[in-house]
Amino acid sequence: MSTSIRDVVSSFDYLFSSLYRREFVKTLRLNECNERELLPLVRCYLLGWFGDNLTPEVQAQLPGTLTGNGYINFVIDDVAVEFAVRRPDAPKATLSAYVNATEMKKLIKYDGKALLVLFDFSTTPFTEQQIEAFRDWPSLGQGNHKKSAFNVAYFYVKKRRPLTSGKIIKNIRI
């Protein structure tokens, strides 16, 4: 049985809410980390959740670069996953469709299920309309490109007291 997008989203949902659980993080401030700091921890977490079905740093097509190649953060069974993080003090553009255009290109060119996971640790989360901006997909350059749909899973803090997390999930069809 293959892994579904729903399974991957629920694993990231659990991880995001755990990064705010005091009994889990203790003295670590994991909800203040950037993508580079959090990525190795996410890799270990996904290895524990999905086991041998996880493959990190998978080479993929990336139109518009000199080599034409890039790397997808994770492939879980047959689901490609790109991961992006916005720190509490980072500008809103960090998670925007414009800044994540290269991640979107890799997912669009991936032949199979694909998911863009966005963790927002800030106090000013995106609205559903701002997540809709991911529907304006980037240009892949000249040529006849085979394009695939992908999903966006946006995790954010709805309310600080009591702590309530929220998520927005969108299917982006090309």
Side-chain angles (χ1 to χ4, degrees):
M1 190 168 124
S2 68
T3 303
S4 69
I5 296 286
R6 183 174 289 149
D7 295 337
V8 177
V9 169
S10 68
S11 71
F12 276 100
D13 191 15
Y14 185 73
L15 175 62
F16 184 79
S17 61
S18 294
L19 294 178
Y20 285 96
R21 282 193 0 240
R22 185 164 297 195
E23 58 275 359
F24 173 70
V25 294
K26 298 287 184 183
T27 58
L28 295 174
R29 296 177 182 258
L30 296 176
N31 59 346
E32 295 177 6
C33 293
N34 62 21
E35 180 180 347
R36 175 171 255 148
E37 296 164 343
L38 213 50
L39 209 52
L41 300 173
V42 171
R43 182 187 291 191
C44 294
Y45 168 78
L46 292 175
L47 178 64
W49 191 285
F50 293 104
D52 292 335
N53 295 332
L54 174 73
T55 309
E57 298 178 31
V58 176
Q59 192 168 6
Q61 294 178 16
L62 180 55
T65 60
L66 290 175
T67 62
N69 295 316
Y71 289 91
I72 292 176
N73 293 135
F74 310 104
V75 174
I76 302 168
D77 204 5
D78 59 342
V79 179
V81 178
E82 277 292 324
F83 182 66
V85 175
R86 178 182 173 204
R87 295 173 58 138
D89 57 350
K92 214 168 199 174
T94 308
L95 291 183
S96 69
Y98 177 76
V99 171
N100 288 295
T102 56
E103 284 78 4
M104 290 170 55
K105 286 179 184 179
K106 289 183 272 187
L107 296 176
I108 289 169
K109 291 297 289 178
Y110 184 76
D111 188 23
K113 297 180 276 187
L115 176 67
L116 175 61
V117 176
L118 306 171
F119 276 13
D120 191 350
F121 297 125
S122 73
T123 56
T124 56
F126 280 77
T127 63
E128 195 156 343
Q129 291 77 26
Q130 289 169 317
I131 298 298
E132 286 284 331
F134 282 91
R135 294 194 190 283
D136 300 330
W137 51 280
S139 170
L140 298 177
Q142 291 182 334
N144 190 11
H145 295 277
K146 182 179 179 209
K147 303 171 201 108
S148 299
F150 69 97
N151 294 280
V152 175
Y154 172 69
F155 299 93
Y156 64 99
V157 177
K158 259 189 201 177
K159 213 165 70 170
R160 296 280 173 189
R161 295 198 192 268
L163 189 69
T164 310
S165 62
K167 68 181 170 193
I168 299 172
I169 300 170
K170 295 282 180 190
N171 184 284
I172 310 299
R173 296 176 198 262
I174 306 302

